[in-house]
Amino acid sequence: MLFEEQRWRADNASGRVIRSRYPGGNQPTDDSTYYPGQLDGPIGPIAADPTALTAQIDTTQPRFLGPTAVIRGLASLLGWRTPNQAARTAILTVLRDTAGITYHPSVTDRAGRTGIGVSATADDIRFLLILNPSTGELLAYERANGSLPP
């Protein structure tokens, strides 16, 4: 099943998520509103320094849980924010310096968009981020059994 989410978040940890399921059919769209203080995670932009970014990731997914925690933590951050150029550099630095992360130069998501992929696998579950190669925006995040072909 494919989900598309539109997210908005304010600095007071309030926000809104509209989730659509594809294929459509009889499945409803979810529309959730979060009041001040209801959203978890760091407030503000994605850190532009790799050390600070690592600390942001650790707030939701402690790195001692391994490389999949880095993927999951970045999915959480990128799901709410668009990184600026300095933050994109920090993201790539953290990914480069994390053992167990695999780079995929061209991956197509389930909606047909092509981007760069980074993945990590634990307990035969693959965690994959697909990023827009020009903007660094999150195109897709998925969890699946198994691993991607090389």
Side-chain angles (χ1 to χ4, degrees):
M1 183 171 295
L2 176 66
F3 293 97
E4 177 182 46
E5 288 186 348
Q6 295 176 317
R7 296 179 176 193
W8 298 269
R9 180 187 175 109
D11 286 341
N12 65 359
S14 66
R16 183 175 176 196
V17 177
I18 298 174
R19 179 184 275 189
S20 302
R21 293 180 176 95
Y22 297 97
N26 296 327
Q27 298 189 9
T29 298
D30 298 326
D31 188 345
S32 300
T33 299
Y34 299 90
Y35 297 99
Q38 286 188 313
L39 291 173
D40 292 334
I43 294 172
I46 296 174
D49 171 74
T51 302
L53 176 60
T54 297
Q56 276 186 326
I57 292 169
D58 281 345
T59 64
T60 59
Q61 297 291 326
R63 287 180 56 101
F64 71 81
L65 297 174
T68 60
V70 173
I71 298 291
R72 292 189 317 264
L74 285 172
S76 176
L77 288 171
L78 293 169
W80 290 102
R81 299 165 185 83
T82 299
N84 62 24
Q85 184 175 358
R88 289 194 305 266
T89 299
I91 289 166
L92 293 175
T93 300
V94 168
L95 289 168
R96 179 198 68 203
D97 294 345
T98 302
I101 299 284
T102 302
Y103 169 70
H104 309 278
S106 181
V107 179
T108 302
D109 71 9
R110 296 177 192 277
R113 301 169 295 190
T114 300
I116 61 168
V118 288
S119 68
T121 303
D123 299 325
D124 203 33
I125 299 173
R126 181 200 63 221
F127 297 85
L128 170 69
L129 290 177
I130 302 175
L131 306 172
N132 180 310
S134 299
T135 66
E137 288 180 279
L138 179 64
L139 295 177
Y141 167 65
E142 71 175 47
R143 294 179 309 241
N145 288 337
S147 58
L148 285 173

